[in-house]
Amino acid sequence: MSKLIYLSSIVFFITACASSVAQEENSSEVENKNTPPDTTNQQKNTTLPNAVAWDYFVHSGAKIWACREIEFGKFVLNKFCRDKGKNDLQWPGDVVPSNFRGQLID
């Protein structure tokens, strides 16, 4: 008889725990539905460049077109230059920029 009481109390405990977890999950889902979506920039510490231009240079024999921010010459994602025509008017010549680290992010 004592084994039966012991087993039933274990079953009760497991059922109560499972019920508590299910309630927490449901309340999280309801909370998430009531929370407005985050419309801020998802990439923290990243700002969109104001003005960008393509830069052409040769590095270790490789011909490279890279997108750079005009104001500081900082390399930015190439996607920011996709609507720009590829010309080398901003930084003419094929000299490797001093801030080029050998790896570009697209």
Side-chain angles (χ1 to χ4, degrees):
M1 184 69 161
S2 63
K3 287 182 182 179
L4 181 60
I5 293 172
Y6 177 74
L7 287 175
S8 61
S9 57
I10 290 176
V11 169
F12 177 77
F13 177 75
I14 291 173
T15 306
C17 289
S19 175
S20 175
V21 169
Q23 286 175 352
E24 287 178 18
E25 287 177 357
N26 288 339
S27 68
S28 296
E29 289 174 11
V30 169
E31 184 178 306
N32 289 340
K33 288 178 184 175
N34 293 333
T35 304
D38 183 12
T39 56
T40 60
N41 188 357
Q42 295 295 323
Q43 295 177 337
K44 303 299 180 197
N45 300 324
T46 304
T47 57
L48 298 176
N50 292 326
V52 293
W54 286 108
D55 185 17
Y56 171 82
F57 54 93
V58 178
H59 181 264
S60 299
K63 299 174 181 179
I64 298 174
W65 283 99
C67 187
R68 294 174 68 184
E69 199 173 29
I70 292 175
E71 186 175 357
F72 300 107
K74 177 184 166 189
F75 288 94
V76 296
L77 297 174
N78 285 342
K79 70 180 182 180
F80 294 121
C81 286
R82 288 197 178 129
D83 64 338
K84 310 273 182 193
K86 283 188 178 179
N87 64 56
D88 198 28
L89 301 176
Q90 188 67 38
W91 299 278
D94 59 0
V95 177
V96 178
S98 62
N99 62 343
F100 181 67
R101 301 289 179 249
Q103 218 173 10
L104 295 177
I105 302 170
D106 193 28

